[in-house]
Each structure stands twice: as C-alpha cells, then as structure tokens.
Amino acid sequence: MSEINKMNFLLPNKLETTTSSQSAKTDDKVDFSAMLKDALKDVNDAQLTADDAVQKVLSGENKDIHSTMIALQKADVSLKMMLEVRNKIMDAYQEIMRTQV
C-alpha cells in the first residue's frame, strides 16, 4: 500500500493551496520534472515488484497467490494513473501549442 501512497501528490484533494505567506517564500520551489521522475520510478518499482512476485509464484518459491495478485493490481493501478497523467500533460501541451501569439 505504501507504493500507492507515494503518488498522493497527483490527487486533487491532496494538493496544497498556496496562501499569501507561502507565495512570498521563494525557497520552497517544487521541481515538476523531479516529481514526475520520482513518480515514474515508483511506477517502475511497482511493475518490477509485481513481476518478481509472479516469477516467485511460477517457480513455486512462493505459494501466496493473494499477495501476488495485490502486487499485480497495485502495478496496474499505478500504471493506469501514470498514463492518465501523461495524457493530461499531452493535452495541456497541445492546447498551449494551439494558442496564437
């Protein structure tokens, strides 16, 4: 569950609203590219964990099918969420490119 909780920054109800005191601070900058790279790394880690769990079940090393299915679902949900984020980023980029200057 901790892998999914790492991606809470993408949820709209988890975003922090900026107040006048926060906007005055210039030290608290959020690097979007670093945040996106971390999210991609988390999705990749979830995929690798799920793949490893499937390999352990197939080899007979692990008999717990429930944890394997949970790992697969976590990987699937995180990948779908990242694809939706990518789609939104691409839509925003295309909208910016359509604007006339």
PDB file of all heavy atoms in Angstrom, residues 17-28:
ATOM      1  N   THR A  17      -3.082  24.279  -1.170  1.00  0.00           N
ATOM      2  CA  THR A  17      -3.397  25.575  -1.746  1.00  0.00           C
ATOM      3  C   THR A  17      -2.366  26.573  -1.264  1.00  0.00           C
ATOM      4  O   THR A  17      -1.931  26.543  -0.120  1.00  0.00           O
ATOM      5  CB  THR A  17      -4.804  26.036  -1.326  1.00  0.00           C
ATOM      6  OG1 THR A  17      -4.866  26.061   0.107  1.00  0.00           O
ATOM      7  CG2 THR A  17      -5.865  25.086  -1.857  1.00  0.00           C
ATOM      8  N   THR A  18      -1.965  27.464  -2.144  1.00  0.00           N
ATOM      9  CA  THR A  18      -0.953  28.444  -1.756  1.00  0.00           C
ATOM     10  C   THR A  18      -1.627  29.651  -1.143  1.00  0.00           C
ATOM     11  O   THR A  18      -2.619  30.153  -1.636  1.00  0.00           O
ATOM     12  CB  THR A  18      -0.134  28.884  -2.980  1.00  0.00           C
ATOM     13  OG1 THR A  18      -1.027  29.398  -3.959  1.00  0.00           O
ATOM     14  CG2 THR A  18       0.651  27.730  -3.550  1.00  0.00           C
ATOM     15  N   THR A  19      -1.094  30.069  -0.035  1.00  0.00           N
ATOM     16  CA  THR A  19      -1.582  31.265   0.626  1.00  0.00           C
ATOM     17  C   THR A  19      -0.598  32.385   0.373  1.00  0.00           C
ATOM     18  O   THR A  19       0.453  32.178  -0.224  1.00  0.00           O
ATOM     19  CB  THR A  19      -1.733  31.020   2.146  1.00  0.00           C
ATOM     20  OG1 THR A  19      -0.455  30.690   2.681  1.00  0.00           O
ATOM     21  CG2 THR A  19      -2.719  29.908   2.422  1.00  0.00           C
ATOM     22  N   SER A  20      -0.928  33.569   0.826  1.00  0.00           N
ATOM     23  CA  SER A  20      -0.048  34.713   0.589  1.00  0.00           C
ATOM     24  C   SER A  20       1.300  34.540   1.279  1.00  0.00           C
ATOM     25  O   SER A  20       2.324  34.966   0.775  1.00  0.00           O
ATOM     26  CB  SER A  20      -0.722  35.998   1.064  1.00  0.00           C
ATOM     27  OG  SER A  20      -0.994  35.909   2.448  1.00  0.00           O
ATOM     28  N   SER A  21       1.306  33.878   2.444  1.00  0.00           N
ATOM     29  CA  SER A  21       2.585  33.666   3.138  1.00  0.00           C
ATOM     30  C   SER A  21       3.433  32.629   2.413  1.00  0.00           C
ATOM     31  O   SER A  21       4.645  32.718   2.408  1.00  0.00           O
ATOM     32  CB  SER A  21       2.344  33.244   4.585  1.00  0.00           C
ATOM     33  OG  SER A  21       1.701  31.989   4.628  1.00  0.00           O
ATOM     34  N   GLN A  22       2.780  31.634   1.813  1.00  0.00           N
ATOM     35  CA  GLN A  22       3.534  30.625   1.088  1.00  0.00           C
ATOM     36  C   GLN A  22       4.042  31.159  -0.236  1.00  0.00           C
ATOM     37  O   GLN A  22       5.113  30.779  -0.684  1.00  0.00           O
ATOM     38  CB  GLN A  22       2.681  29.384   0.841  1.00  0.00           C
ATOM     39  CG  GLN A  22       2.435  28.566   2.079  1.00  0.00           C
ATOM     40  CD  GLN A  22       1.559  27.368   1.791  1.00  0.00           C
ATOM     41  OE1 GLN A  22       0.887  27.316   0.772  1.00  0.00           O
ATOM     42  NE2 GLN A  22       1.567  26.416   2.683  1.00  0.00           N
ATOM     43  N   SER A  23       3.269  32.022  -0.883  1.00  0.00           N
ATOM     44  CA  SER A  23       3.717  32.548  -2.161  1.00  0.00           C
ATOM     45  C   SER A  23       4.864  33.532  -1.984  1.00  0.00           C
ATOM     46  O   SER A  23       5.623  33.783  -2.911  1.00  0.00           O
ATOM     47  CB  SER A  23       2.559  33.215  -2.902  1.00  0.00           C
ATOM     48  OG  SER A  23       2.068  34.309  -2.146  1.00  0.00           O
ATOM     49  N   ALA A  24       5.011  34.101  -0.798  1.00  0.00           N
ATOM     50  CA  ALA A  24       6.108  35.023  -0.535  1.00  0.00           C
ATOM     51  C   ALA A  24       7.432  34.278  -0.418  1.00  0.00           C
ATOM     52  O   ALA A  24       8.489  34.834  -0.676  1.00  0.00           O
ATOM     53  CB  ALA A  24       5.834  35.810   0.737  1.00  0.00           C
ATOM     54  N   LYS A  25       7.386  33.010  -0.031  1.00  0.00           N
ATOM     55  CA  LYS A  25       8.603  32.219   0.099  1.00  0.00           C
ATOM     56  C   LYS A  25       9.051  31.763  -1.287  1.00  0.00           C
ATOM     57  O   LYS A  25       8.286  31.197  -2.032  1.00  0.00           O
ATOM     58  CB  LYS A  25       8.372  30.989   0.975  1.00  0.00           C
ATOM     59  CG  LYS A  25       8.080  31.296   2.423  1.00  0.00           C
ATOM     60  CD  LYS A  25       7.919  30.010   3.181  1.00  0.00           C
ATOM     61  CE  LYS A  25       7.624  30.254   4.642  1.00  0.00           C
ATOM     62  NZ  LYS A  25       7.448  28.998   5.364  1.00  0.00           N
ATOM     63  N   THR A  26      10.284  31.992  -1.599  1.00  0.00           N
ATOM     64  CA  THR A  26      10.829  31.518  -2.867  1.00  0.00           C
ATOM     65  C   THR A  26      11.712  30.294  -2.669  1.00  0.00           C
ATOM     66  O   THR A  26      12.137  29.694  -3.638  1.00  0.00           O
ATOM     67  CB  THR A  26      11.645  32.626  -3.553  1.00  0.00           C
ATOM     68  OG1 THR A  26      12.678  33.038  -2.674  1.00  0.00           O
ATOM     69  CG2 THR A  26      10.755  33.787  -3.926  1.00  0.00           C
ATOM     70  N   ASP A  27      11.982  29.939  -1.415  1.00  0.00           N
ATOM     71  CA  ASP A  27      12.834  28.798  -1.128  1.00  0.00           C
ATOM     72  C   ASP A  27      12.107  27.478  -1.340  1.00  0.00           C
ATOM     73  O   ASP A  27      12.741  26.464  -1.612  1.00  0.00           O
ATOM     74  CB  ASP A  27      13.344  28.849   0.314  1.00  0.00           C
ATOM     75  CG  ASP A  27      14.221  30.063   0.550  1.00  0.00           C
ATOM     76  OD1 ASP A  27      14.772  30.588  -0.435  1.00  0.00           O
ATOM     77  OD2 ASP A  27      14.340  30.480   1.713  1.00  0.00           O
ATOM     78  N   ASP A  28      10.780  27.455  -1.213  1.00  0.00           N
ATOM     79  CA  ASP A  28      10.002  26.230  -1.311  1.00  0.00           C
ATOM     80  C   ASP A  28       9.518  26.014  -2.736  1.00  0.00           C
ATOM     81  O   ASP A  28       8.328  26.002  -3.008  1.00  0.00           O
ATOM     82  CB  ASP A  28       8.808  26.278  -0.359  1.00  0.00           C
ATOM     83  CG  ASP A  28       9.237  26.335   1.095  1.00  0.00           C
ATOM     84  OD1 ASP A  28      10.343  25.862   1.383  1.00  0.00           O
ATOM     85  OD2 ASP A  28       8.464  26.839   1.914  1.00  0.00           O
TER      86      ASP A  28
END
